[in-house]
Amino acid sequence: MIRRIFMGLAVLVVLAAAGVAIWGPGFVERRLNPVTMPEAGWPVSPEAEALHRRLVIGDWHSDALLWDRDLLDRAGRGHVDVPRLALGNVAVQVFTTVTKSPRGQNYSRNSAEAPDNITPLFIGQLRPFSAWFSLKERALVQAAALRRAAERAPEALMLIRSAEDLQVLLEARQNGAHTVGALLGTEGGHPLEGNIANLQVLYGAGFRLVGLTHFFDNELGGSLHGEGGAESGLSDFGREVVAEMMAKRMIVDLAHASPQLVRDVLAIPGTRPILSHTGIHGQCASPRNLPDELVQAIARKGGVIGIGFWADVNCGRTPADIAASIQAAIALVGEDAVSLGSDYDGSVDAPFDVAHLAALTQALMDAGLSDEQIAKVMGGNMMRYLAQVL
């Protein structure tokens, strides 16, 4: 039996190595994370570029850690790395860890028991063996990669674990530093593996944000795209996790949450969740976008809404389409509750990578937003929320 197990593992390693040689994770990433920017780029006026350079910019969602690139090197694929964040003048980027994705993933109905897309990706990337079959270890491996990058280049990348860290970062940037702040989150609470003690493990590894669900129902509750449907809410374990997160000053993210789970979290006294990456249903009637009344309810509890950059949530592929979603969000919840939630590197398209983020500043100017409104949306609202909640 032992010999058969080792033979099976050897076959997996050979297949993984063959996959790297033949198709490679880089090929997969290029296919899944395209940039649809015209070859000549989007036009940005000197006025928009000057405003963009003055902004304090933050983004709630990037899955760049999934792709096993060295974030300190500028890549020729995907959307985000530290050099491109610096070029885009981003002050704070949330990096989320993806640990499980059901085969045939869609916006309507996914089974938690479906074959997983992340397992072959981790094997093909030759990630540590401990992460091949453990969701918790997958999250920790990605967290360790971010931490090592910050340790190797502290002048370029700083981990944000508290409001005090955020203040240090922003003061340094005011004094001329170009350091990017990195906040660590997990896409879905399934890396907890149903054990509340694992929340402290993740917290100790630097996690400060937890999206409760992703594309399938998990131990915490119902997904917007799960089998339980709209009425699958927060489980008893989910309530325990939310309470412990509040005690630890961690951020509750309701992206991918079912409508009932959203209502259940909002009903808990003291919760102040965010919606990290989304569009506005009244502007783009995608099944990925929550009903408008739930988005308003999140904002009423003091949360912020991160507008995504990909076509499915904006019903379009240009900076102007993202700006239209931001306008719709401001009309729905007010200018103090809207922020950026790109979903960069999340197996989505984007009209520009983060180095060319000034294209969005131009689009917001073209849409008639004031400089003050643009400053709030591009990062001011996010920084205020982090300073109050972390």
Side-chain angles (χ1 to χ4, degrees):
M1 174 64 73
I2 297 296
R3 182 171 178 271
R4 290 174 62 188
I5 291 174
F6 277 108
M7 287 180 62
L9 291 176
V11 169
L12 284 175
V13 171
V14 169
L15 289 174
V20 171
I22 296 170
W23 51 265
F27 172 83
V28 176
E29 184 181 5
R30 285 186 180 91
R31 182 171 60 85
L32 294 181
N33 293 313
V35 177
T36 59
M37 184 171 64
E39 187 173 345
W42 303 104
V44 178
S45 68
E47 294 78 13
E49 186 65 42
L51 173 59
H52 190 80
R53 292 297 138 195
R54 297 195 301 269
L55 298 172
V56 177
I57 299 172
D59 178 75
W60 281 113
H61 202 87
S62 167
D63 294 331
L65 293 171
L66 176 63
W67 303 102
D68 199 27
R69 292 190 268 110
D70 186 341
L71 289 178
L72 298 178
D73 294 337
R74 179 163 183 171
R77 62 181 187 270
H79 304 137
V80 166
D81 48 54
V82 173
R84 284 185 284 178
L85 285 164
L87 286 170
N89 193 33
V90 174
V92 176
Q93 178 66 61
V94 175
F95 289 95
T96 41
T97 62
V98 178
T99 57
K100 183 176 178 179
S101 168
R103 195 78 49 82
Q105 180 175 294
N106 59 82
Y107 290 141
S108 58
R109 186 180 177 88
N110 299 277
S111 170
E113 305 305 318
D116 172 40
N117 291 321
I118 307 303
T119 299
L121 181 63
F122 262 59
I123 294 172
Q125 292 174 341
L126 300 182
R127 295 280 185 111
F129 178 72
S130 62
W132 288 11
F133 305 110
S134 166
L135 303 187
K136 180 183 74 174
E137 291 300 323
R138 286 180 193 173
L140 294 175
V141 161
Q142 293 175 71
L146 183 64
R147 185 170 61 251
R148 287 193 301 270
E151 291 169 351
R152 285 163 50 208
E155 75 290 345
L157 186 66
M158 174 185 174
L159 287 182
I160 304 297
R161 298 183 177 92
S162 65
E164 291 74 20
D165 288 346
L166 177 67
Q167 183 177 356
V168 168
L169 172 83
L170 295 180
E171 288 178 355
R173 289 181 63 90
Q174 284 179 341
N175 291 325
H178 299 286
T179 312
V180 176
L183 190 74
L184 186 59
T186 174
E187 183 127 57
H190 31 279
L192 298 175
E193 297 180 339
N195 184 351
I196 191 63
N198 283 333
L199 186 62
Q200 178 58 43
V201 174
L202 296 186
Y203 184 88
F207 286 85
R208 293 297 181 269
L209 179 149
V210 175
L212 300 185
T213 57
H214 194 203
F215 269 91
F216 52 92
D217 304 330
N218 63 21
E219 299 95 338
L220 286 75
S223 165
L224 182 62
H225 330 285
E227 293 186 310
E231 300 308 313
S232 179
L234 197 63
S235 68
D236 290 342
F237 178 66
R239 293 179 186 279
E240 185 181 8
V241 169
V242 170
E244 186 64 18
M245 287 180 64
M246 292 171 63
K248 293 180 178 297
R249 302 186 70 84
M250 299 178 77
I251 299 163
V252 175
D253 181 8
L254 295 177
H256 298 286
S258 72
Q260 186 58 47
L261 191 147
V262 172
R263 289 189 285 267
D264 289 345
V265 169
L266 292 174
I268 298 172
T271 52
R272 191 177 174 181
I274 69 165
L275 189 60
S276 65
H277 54 304
T278 188
I280 301 302
H281 196 275
Q283 187 263 339
C284 176
S286 166
R288 174 61 178 79
N289 295 334
L290 278 172
D292 286 1
E293 60 269 20
L294 291 181
V295 176
Q296 289 176 312
I298 292 169
R300 283 197 298 269
K301 284 287 299 253
V304 292
I305 313 303
I307 298 300
F309 292 179
W310 74 107
D312 288 349
V313 296
N314 295 306
C315 293
R317 298 179 183 275
T318 70
D321 295 314
I322 303 172
S325 291
I326 289 172
Q327 284 184 295
I330 290 173
L332 185 67
V333 300
E335 64 187 44
D336 294 325
V338 183
S339 53
L340 305 183
S342 63
D343 201 14
Y344 273 148
D345 293 314
S347 299
V348 295
D349 60 282
F352 44 79
D353 67 0
V354 72
H356 297 88
L357 187 57
L360 180 56
T361 299
Q362 179 71 66
L364 294 173
M365 292 177 68
D366 293 344
L369 271 67
S370 68
D371 289 2
E372 181 182 8
Q373 288 175 313
I374 293 171
K376 288 180 178 182
V377 169
M378 294 292 284
N381 292 334
M382 179 181 179
M383 302 308 145
R384 184 192 70 249
Y385 176 93
L386 289 174
Q388 294 171 348
V389 173
L390 278 180

